Amino acid sequence: MSMIEAMVAAAVLGIGILGSFGGMVLASRQNSSAARLGRADGVATAIRSGLQVKSYAALSAATGPFDPGNCTLTPAVLALTSGLSGLAPACVVDLDAFDAAATPVNRIVPSYNPADGTTFRRVLVMWNNPAVGPTEIRTVAIIVSFADGLGRRSVQQFLGVYNPATNLLG
């Protein structure tokens, strides 16, 4: 084997090692992103469960998230809604700010880990469905997002909340 052959073989080996290292870095990033997506889905499910457990009256009270005073027009929060804030007339609630100001009894997820607040942003987008007759149905989009690379990724879950006072089925 000549010196030139040895140098070419070393260069090919070096390029192969660099390529496999890049693949490992990419796989590691994808695994990390998938883990955060899974955790964000768990947070969104906990929010959905918290909304389902509370009564419509508690959610609509002055201390609840459905109170119009909790709607925000902050551009940074509206940017987290994946375009759902454009649904008219939608109310966007910064759930992180709501829970921070609420008493433990009024929080949607009282057991929410504050450490998750550094990774995830929680937002509710609510609107009424007027085409259902006298039954008041509030559609709630639960959006949990996190920074990923150069942008944000989010998980969305949807829930219909009925006002039992106008629900004709009882």
Side-chain angles (χ1 to χ4, degrees):
M1 179 182 240
S2 70
M3 183 66 109
I4 293 176
E5 290 173 331
M7 288 174 41
V8 169
V12 169
L13 178 66
I15 290 171
I17 289 173
L18 285 176
S20 65
F21 181 70
M24 288 188 316
V25 169
L26 178 65
S28 175
R29 284 186 186 154
Q30 292 300 320
N31 282 340
S32 174
S33 179
R36 280 182 280 170
L37 270 173
R39 179 71 184 123
D41 188 55
V43 169
T45 300
I47 294 167
R48 189 183 70 221
S49 296
L51 289 170
Q52 288 174 324
V53 166
K54 294 195 179 289
S55 70
Y56 188 87
L59 293 170
S60 301
T63 56
F66 293 179
D67 181 65
N70 291 317
C71 298
T72 183
L73 296 174
T74 307
V77 176
L78 295 178
L80 300 172
T81 65
S82 304
L84 292 174
S85 61
L87 295 170
C91 169
V92 178
V93 176
D94 183 349
L95 192 55
D96 292 324
F98 173 81
D99 274 354
T103 63
V105 172
N106 292 324
R107 291 183 186 138
I108 300 302
V109 183
S111 62
Y112 182 66
N113 185 355
D116 282 343
T118 60
T119 304
F120 301 108
R121 289 286 283 126
R122 304 173 303 150
V123 176
L124 300 178
V125 180
M126 301 172 292
W127 64 95
N128 284 339
N129 294 333
V132 191
T135 302
E136 183 181 342
I137 302 173
R138 186 159 293 173
T139 301
V140 181
I142 302 157
I143 303 168
V144 179
S145 66
F146 59 92
D148 187 45
L150 299 176
R152 292 195 74 79
R153 294 188 75 179
S154 65
V155 170
Q156 300 176 4
Q157 293 188 14
F158 295 86
L159 174 68
V161 180
Y162 292 76
N163 182 351
T166 62
N167 185 353
L168 299 178
L169 299 176

